[in-house]
Amino acid sequence: MLKHDAAAKRPVDRSKVAFFGLFCLPPLLLYLLFCVYPILSSLYTSFFAWSGYDELTMDNFVGFKNYLNVLTDPLFLSAIKNDFLIILGKEIIIITLTILFAVALTRSRFSRFEAGVYRFIFFIPNVLSVIVITTIWTFVLDPNFGILDPLLRAVGLDGIIPPMGWTYTHPIGVITFVASWCGIGLFMLIMIAAINGISRELYESATIDGAGEWMQLRYITMPAVWEQARFMVITILFQSFASSFTLVKAMMGDAVGESSVVMGMFVYQNSFDSQWPQVGYSYAAAVIMLLISAVASFIVDRVMSVRSGADE
């Protein structure tokens, strides 16, 4: 009882209150204003048949009709498939090349200067804007003046060159490749830092026992960097749902069809890029997109957590 009374009479630490008010409260308010409020507003609007121009009233309330229409829209179902194809391709390409490049730069006998140059080269795509990236690859892949098709003809691979161009014949493949090219550098630096933290004695002991590079990669390197690999997988998965729209819009322009549409583009086409916008409908698609990304990230995280626990 006395301890309770003493705690009740203890003066408030004003420095902690001032610190919270100065450094914690403003970011919290900004987060609520620019992150939480738009999500709640979009969720509310998704229950209305609203064009964005007329007044939003209860007369426009349609309940879950927008959600049912979105989930039965063939174009949105194609967008879901395309998003996951891009994500799957990015996961395979980025993680495989990231690990191989990181291992090569840490295990090979490069000088510090050479390793730094390679790291810089690999990281360059991460600092380029989407416009620069798409301009570069549009030039490379263009069927009329691009440099890829002449190179393929020079080595006798004319038969694989699509007549309409790579971007419009294989849009998902091109988007996946370009997105992967952009994402390797940052994750490679993370993986290099993780590999450098592994004790060299483990590799020396494995070498003495006769284990080759691939055995060391499987039984020493990968278990030690599993948490970093898990971070890469979750980050690529969650970010791809938003970033795919940017690349598709920049590379495809208005020529987006069923073979190249992604969920972000579907939302954009039904709101900002439509002559007859269906804002409530597009918001319903955006909410579904958010739920899909959250559920997919949660499932992958739990699966990799179980795998990490099994290794321990």
Side-chain angles (χ1 to χ4, degrees):
M1 185 67 179
L2 293 176
K3 291 182 178 180
H4 178 74
D5 294 339
K9 295 178 180 179
R10 186 178 302 166
V12 178
D13 191 339
R14 294 184 178 180
S15 63
K16 292 183 179 179
V17 176
F19 179 86
F20 175 81
L22 185 62
F23 294 101
C24 299
L25 190 58
L28 176 61
L29 294 176
L30 291 175
Y31 177 77
L32 293 175
L33 178 62
F34 293 107
C35 295
V36 177
Y37 173 74
I39 292 176
L40 296 178
S41 177
S42 300
L43 179 62
Y44 175 77
T45 308
S46 67
F47 293 104
F48 293 82
W50 185 47
S51 66
Y53 297 111
D54 54 343
E55 185 178 357
L56 184 64
T57 65
M58 290 304 297
D59 293 336
N60 300 326
F61 182 79
V62 294
F64 288 95
K65 183 178 179 180
N66 284 333
Y67 289 91
L68 295 176
N69 291 338
V70 168
L71 291 174
T72 55
D73 191 324
L75 189 61
F76 186 75
L77 298 179
S78 296
I80 296 176
K81 181 193 71 174
N82 292 337
D83 261 311
F84 278 101
L85 286 175
I86 292 173
I87 291 171
L88 179 61
K90 287 178 65 177
E91 296 281 10
I92 295 173
I93 296 173
I94 292 178
I95 293 176
T96 302
L97 294 182
T98 293
I99 294 173
L100 292 179
F101 289 153
V103 170
L105 291 177
T106 52
R107 300 283 292 155
S108 300
R109 296 180 179 178
F110 292 114
S111 67
R112 180 172 297 182
F113 174 76
E114 290 174 330
V117 170
Y118 286 127
R119 293 181 192 183
F120 175 74
I121 293 174
F122 284 125
F123 190 72
I124 285 178
N126 288 91
V127 299
L128 298 179
S129 69
V130 174
I131 300 302
V132 173
I133 291 170
T134 54
T135 301
I136 292 172
W137 284 105
T138 299
F139 170 74
V140 171
L141 300 172
D142 189 272
N144 297 317
F145 54 84
I147 62 175
L148 177 62
D149 290 356
L151 290 176
L152 294 175
R153 292 190 184 97
V155 296
L157 297 177
D158 307 58
I160 68 172
I161 300 175
M164 297 298 294
W166 295 94
T167 303
Y168 296 100
T169 306
H170 307 289
I172 297 302
V174 170
I175 296 299
T176 302
F177 173 78
V178 174
S180 301
W181 180 77
C182 301
I184 292 175
L186 176 61
F187 294 119
M188 187 191 67
L189 294 181
I190 295 173
M191 191 59 65
I192 287 175
I195 294 175
N196 284 333
I198 303 173
S199 175
R200 295 299 169 188
E201 296 178 356
L202 294 175
Y203 292 108
E204 293 173 0
S205 300
T207 302
I208 294 173
D209 292 337
E213 291 293 334
W214 286 107
M215 294 291 288
Q216 293 178 28
L217 174 63
R218 179 179 178 183
Y219 293 106
I220 297 177
T221 304
M222 287 310 301
V225 301
W226 183 258
E227 288 302 319
Q228 287 74 18
R230 174 184 168 191
F231 169 78
M232 285 196 302
V233 171
I234 301 300
T235 304
I236 294 170
L237 173 63
F238 194 78
Q239 290 182 346
S240 295
F241 286 104
S243 61
S244 296
F245 158 74
T246 309
L247 283 174
V248 170
K249 179 61 178 175
M251 295 196 73
M252 303 297 297
D254 295 328
V256 177
E258 186 174 344
S259 63
S260 58
V261 67
V262 293
M263 286 187 283
M265 180 60 71
F266 182 88
V267 173
Y268 176 79
Q269 287 178 331
N270 283 280
S271 53
F272 304 104
D273 196 39
S274 176
Q275 187 176 359
W276 296 280
Q278 306 175 71
V279 177
Y281 184 75
S282 67
Y283 280 6
V287 172
I288 294 173
M289 175 181 169
L290 176 63
L291 292 175
I292 290 175
S293 62
V295 171
S297 300
F298 175 79
I299 292 174
V300 172
D301 180 64
R302 296 308 304 165
V303 170
M304 297 194 73
S305 297
V306 172
R307 174 72 170 80
S308 177
D311 289 341
E312 294 177 359

